[in-house]
Amino acid sequence: MESSEPSLPGLLAVDLGLRSGLALYGPDGRLRTYRSQNFGSQSRLKRAVPSVLAGTGELAWLVLEGGGPVADVWEREASRRALPVLRVSAEDWRERLLYAREQRSGGQAKDAADGLARRVIAWSGAPRPTSLRHDAAEAILLGLWGVLEVGWLAQVPPEVRAR
């Protein structure tokens, strides 16, 4: 997950799980890269997290959605690097980014998240996906929430929010 601008610190958003979504944002609030990664097991996750963080270039923030033992692995490595961490629940970032009508069911929220993530990709000029896994889409939106939260963007860009 190499950054195209390694000299500028980024924000890495992680939709937690053994299969995780990862989205890297620049300080301009635009998505740089995104992907889905299957770690397979807790022990492989523990071994992989340091190299995932090292492969992103300099980071200013780590944003995590979820909790439990998987979150603990990421938080321990972030703490070792003195990297600030924001943790948020899906409900909280969805409340800020999705309309109430898009959140009436889990399936409806996932469909809305997919469409919004694709607009973030287009607005950012990031490579278009051949397919977009839901964990990567959720990481993209988690990252958008993160850049709003840390002040890298003042608001959701109109081109992204337009419906």
Side-chain angles (χ1 to χ4, degrees):
M1 191 162 209
E2 282 296 314
S3 160
S4 59
E5 300 172 47
S7 61
L8 299 174
L11 176 147
L12 180 65
V14 184
D15 180 33
L16 294 171
L18 291 180
R19 180 181 289 278
S20 295
L22 304 158
L24 179 64
Y25 280 78
D28 60 356
R30 290 184 188 262
L31 179 65
R32 291 180 183 169
T33 61
Y34 59 93
R35 70 170 193 235
S36 177
Q37 182 165 343
N38 188 353
F39 294 104
S41 69
Q42 187 74 8
S43 61
R44 282 183 34 210
L45 172 80
K46 283 181 185 178
R47 287 192 305 271
V49 166
S51 62
V52 169
L53 290 176
T56 60
E58 186 182 348
L59 289 174
W61 292 95
L62 177 63
V63 181
L64 305 174
E65 176 200 308
V70 173
D72 295 342
V73 171
W74 288 94
E75 285 191 323
R76 268 194 304 275
E77 186 60 24
S79 175
R80 199 179 72 69
R81 295 166 183 263
L83 177 61
V85 176
L86 292 174
R87 277 181 71 177
V88 66
S89 70
E91 295 75 24
D92 288 341
W93 69 252
R94 285 180 182 151
E95 184 178 309
R96 185 164 187 184
L97 298 178
L98 300 178
Y99 296 118
R101 69 176 181 270
E102 296 172 321
Q103 303 177 60
R104 292 192 183 121
S105 72
Q108 201 173 26
K110 288 210 184 287
D111 288 346
D114 182 85
L116 186 56
R118 288 174 186 278
R119 290 192 300 278
V120 170
I121 291 166
W123 173 76
S124 296
R128 289 200 168 167
T130 50
S131 68
L132 184 61
R133 290 190 51 84
H134 78 273
D135 52 2
E138 296 233 336
I140 290 168
L141 298 186
L142 174 63
L144 179 60
W145 175 89
V147 297
L148 291 163
E149 195 68 15
V150 302
W152 289 0
L153 286 179
Q155 63 185 26
V156 175
E159 305 89 334
V160 170
R161 187 65 265 175
R163 300 222 78 212

